[in-house]
Amino acid sequence: MPGNLSARSSGVKGVTDWTDFADYVGARREAWVRAAYLLVGDVHQAEDLVQGTLIRVWPHWRRISAQGDPDAYVRKAIFHQFASFARTRRWRELSDGLRPGTQSAESDTYSGHTARFDAAGAVDTRLQLRETLAALAPRQRAVLVLRYYLDLSEAETASVLGCSIGTVKSQASKALKHLRTLASPGAEPEPTDRPPTKEVKA
Amino acid sequence: MNPAASDDWEDENAARALLQQHVADIHPAPDLIDRVEAGIRQRRRTRRIVLPVTMVTAAACVVALAFAVERTAAPVTHVAQAAQPVIACPNPLPSGWANAGVPATPPVPGAARALLPGVPKAAVSCSTIDPARATALTAQQLSAAVAALAAAPFNSSTSTTVVIPPCEEPAQLERPLYLIFEYPDGTHLTITANAETACDGYGPVSWYANNGQVHTAAFQSSVLDSLAGSAASTASAASVAAR
């Protein structure tokens, strides 16, 4: 917690800056980790994503906080970090592992959070949603999170992702159609833009 | 209301509810800020090490690049002499003695050169030599060349070519052997030996001045014998250099 932080850790910036930063992290960490979880589908990976982003944000904190809207900067940084992560092999492994029919998709990677699911139905829905999200292309997933979890407008979403509003609309529409299969299980899921991954033969 | 729009609206609301529900039980580790702090420290430490190393490496690359450019752009002295092969000598002279790769053909402009051990750099600027025979012939040919230099009427305004027959098994000398000597004042001496040259023990030696005059002299075996050793050649070369 912020109280544990030493003045030394604040580096070249003042203790006030660090306290301010730590307070911000303390207040917003849950929101950011949850958003990151929706992006990557794994709690630990989500925490790593947020942690890595905040480490990169800190050197610019004075300027960011002076501008009065640190959320906008951190949000953009998280999604950029996610875009970088989505190009790595680790992402492919993680994403493939969460897709339907794989062993890790059947088990829960929430680890310490498993005990909190007391209702079997909730767990089923959660697994389904996670598989559904895993089947989405990274950009569709990002649009989904920005538009319907963080409640950004289409213009704001386009600004964060660095794409056009039209792209946001089309990606959101595709993602929603895919999500609709959760509400009506009999329906065939819509094809996504996600490229098929190669099967590795044993 | 447009039914399609209504569907979209319901989809969006359903998506919002689903996503909120999906993460409702996600609680980040309480030590996130400590991990961020540790990460910042680690990043600072890494930068403290990586940055100077990167800068030093970059500086070294710049220096090496500048040196390479300078070497590439260095003027090459083309020494053209009448009735002589045209030799390109490096300027400045390379240091040390090393076979730097030798062409199979007689010296041409830009041909690779090999410096021969045992002769002061001031006396020899560059030479090309048959690599297959270099080891066996170097000392003796060099001695002969030095002897020729010592015996020749030296005129600093002229260059002299001395043709020396190979002194052992000439048939094995498949390619001509050239030794090019450069005096400190810029004049050159080229010594040529090839398989066609008569080799009957220590045969006669001719040397040609680049003014067209032909000088012929009998190189006495005893002279060559006395100069065959590297010590003698070095001494003679030193005396030539002193001239």
Side-chain angles (χ1 to χ4, degrees):
Chain A
M1 292 300 289
N4 298 332
L5 298 170
S6 62
R8 182 166 52 92
S9 64
S10 61
V12 292
K13 297 177 178 63
V15 178
T16 314
D17 283 337
W18 177 258
T19 309
D20 188 29
F21 179 70
D23 286 346
Y24 173 81
V25 173
R28 300 292 293 150
R29 67 192 168 102
E30 195 164 271
W32 294 136
V33 170
R34 285 177 173 179
Y37 172 76
L38 288 173
L39 292 172
V40 298
D42 179 89
V43 171
H44 301 301
Q45 202 64 53
E47 286 180 348
D48 285 350
L49 185 73
V50 173
Q51 178 188 331
T53 305
L54 292 172
I55 288 169
R56 282 172 172 77
V57 163
W58 161 245
H60 314 287
W61 180 250
R62 182 172 290 179
R63 177 172 54 83
I64 296 165
S65 59
Q67 286 169 354
D69 187 11
D71 274 358
Y73 189 97
V74 175
R75 183 167 55 225
K76 204 163 190 170
I78 285 177
F79 278 81
H80 283 187
Q81 185 92 341
F82 168 66
S84 300
F85 177 60
R87 288 190 285 269
T88 62
R89 178 182 290 182
R90 169 76 185 124
W91 159 260
R92 286 194 293 275
E93 291 169 358
L94 186 68
S95 187
D96 287 346
L98 294 172
R99 298 183 86 186
T102 56
Q103 190 179 357
S104 52
E106 306 301 330
S107 63
D108 199 319
T109 56
Y110 280 61
S111 54
H113 305 269
T114 311
R116 297 195 183 96
F117 305 144
D118 47 2
V123 173
D124 284 347
T125 307
R126 186 182 296 272
L127 288 176
Q128 278 180 11
L129 180 58
R130 202 172 53 169
E131 290 171 3
T132 306
L133 289 174
L136 294 177
R139 179 169 275 194
Q140 286 177 1
R141 204 184 298 204
V143 168
L144 201 66
V145 175
L146 286 165
R147 287 281 290 124
Y148 306 119
Y149 179 71
L150 296 176
D151 270 335
L152 297 193
S153 68
E154 287 167 343
E156 288 170 327
T157 303
S159 167
V160 171
L161 297 179
C163 62
S164 69
I165 293 178
T167 305
V168 170
K169 283 180 180 174
S170 66
Q171 298 289 314
S173 172
K174 286 177 185 173
L176 283 178
K177 280 179 185 171
H178 206 73
L179 272 189
R180 192 180 288 161
T181 59
L182 268 183
S184 49
E188 275 295 307
E190 291 284 328
T192 68
D193 292 345
R194 192 170 192 268
T197 51
K198 289 180 183 173
E199 287 185 12
V200 180
K201 292 180 180 174
Chain B
M1 192 182 219
N2 183 354
S6 174
D7 283 352
D8 286 348
W9 180 252
E10 285 175 8
D11 279 349
E12 288 181 0
N13 281 339
R16 283 192 180 92
L18 269 175
L19 295 177
Q20 293 289 350
Q21 179 193 347
H22 188 51
V23 296
D25 291 321
I26 300 296
H27 299 288
D31 65 342
L32 181 65
I33 188 64
D34 296 331
R35 286 161 55 185
V36 170
E37 184 185 8
I40 290 168
R41 281 207 197 109
Q42 176 66 35
R43 188 178 164 92
R44 200 173 294 151
R45 262 199 305 272
T46 306
R47 282 198 168 183
R48 205 172 294 150
I49 296 168
V50 169
L51 201 63
V53 170
T54 308
M55 288 176 68
V56 167
T57 308
C61 286
V62 168
V63 169
L65 190 65
F67 184 70
V69 168
E70 189 188 350
R71 285 291 298 270
T72 306
V76 176
T77 307
H78 291 277
V79 182
Q81 296 173 343
Q84 293 274 350
V86 178
I87 310 300
C89 293
N91 185 17
L93 299 177
S95 60
W97 306 103
N99 288 325
V102 180
T105 55
V108 292
R113 290 158 294 272
L115 290 178
L116 302 175
V119 175
K121 197 164 68 175
V124 176
S125 65
C126 59
S127 66
T128 59
I129 189 169
D130 185 334
R133 302 288 296 164
T135 306
L137 295 179
T138 293
Q140 209 158 30
Q141 293 289 354
L142 198 59
S143 299
V146 171
L149 281 173
F154 183 78
N155 181 344
S156 65
S157 65
T158 62
S159 294
T160 305
T161 297
V162 180
V163 180
I164 300 174
C167 298
E168 51 183 55
E169 300 181 29
Q172 291 180 12
L173 189 64
E174 295 174 355
R175 292 189 289 263
L177 181 145
Y178 294 86
L179 302 177
I180 298 97
F181 290 75
E182 182 184 51
Y183 289 101
D185 65 0
T187 56
H188 290 73
L189 171 70
T190 300
I191 299 171
T192 307
N194 56 50
E196 285 74 43
T197 309
C199 183
D200 183 13
Y202 297 125
V205 171
S206 299
W207 63 94
Y208 304 88
N210 64 351
N211 58 9
Q213 291 181 327
V214 179
H215 304 268
T216 306
F219 241 138
Q220 302 301 317
S221 299
S222 58
V223 175
L224 287 176
D225 285 342
S226 66
L227 293 169
S230 60
S233 71
T234 304
S236 300
S239 68
V240 167
R243 295 167 63 183

